[in-house]
């Protein structure tokens, strides 16, 4: 249910440390929610359909994914 400007947060645990990751909802394209995120590799930012992340256990934006913390909206965007 993400809308343009919303931020999706993920919490990843492994090797004794916790990392937080975020993605920005960039609106819709052909009815699909598009997300922007930094891949972790130098200078690489991707814009993908949220469905692209379904195959990723860690970054699947689904309420059943325990690593997915949810969708948040800045109040100034309302």
């Amino acid at each position: 249910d993400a809308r343009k400007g919303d931020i999706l947060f993920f919490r990843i645990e492994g090797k004794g440390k916790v990392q937080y990751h975020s993605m920005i909802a960039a609106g819709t394209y052909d009815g699909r929610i598009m997300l922007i995120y930094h891949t972790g590799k130098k200078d690489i930012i991707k814009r993908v359909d949220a469905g692209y992340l379904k195959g990723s256990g860690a970054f699947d934006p689904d309420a059943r994914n325990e690593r997915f913390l949810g969708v948040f909206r800045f109040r100034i965007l309302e």
Side-chain angles (χ1 to χ4, degrees):
D1 295 332
R3 295 180 293 162
K4 187 175 183 177
D6 288 350
I7 301 175
L8 290 73
F9 285 99
F10 298 84
R11 182 177 191 263
I12 310 297
E13 295 182 46
K15 298 182 182 175
K17 63 180 182 175
V18 176
Q19 294 181 331
Y20 292 91
H21 299 271
S22 60
M23 300 178 187
I24 300 171
T28 58
Y29 179 76
D30 285 341
R32 299 171 295 167
I33 297 172
M34 302 302 290
L35 302 172
I36 298 173
Y37 70 98
H38 185 271
T39 65
K41 297 179 183 174
K42 185 178 179 180
D43 300 330
I44 299 177
I45 295 175
K46 284 190 174 186
R47 184 184 77 163
V48 297
D49 175 332
Y52 170 83
L53 299 170
K54 286 286 184 193
S56 166
F59 298 110
D60 184 357
D62 188 298
R64 295 171 289 195
N65 178 2
E66 63 184 29
R67 297 173 178 147
F68 179 52
L69 299 178
V71 177
F72 299 88
R73 170 167 277 276
F74 288 109
R75 288 187 181 145
I76 61 172
L77 296 176
E78 293 181 343

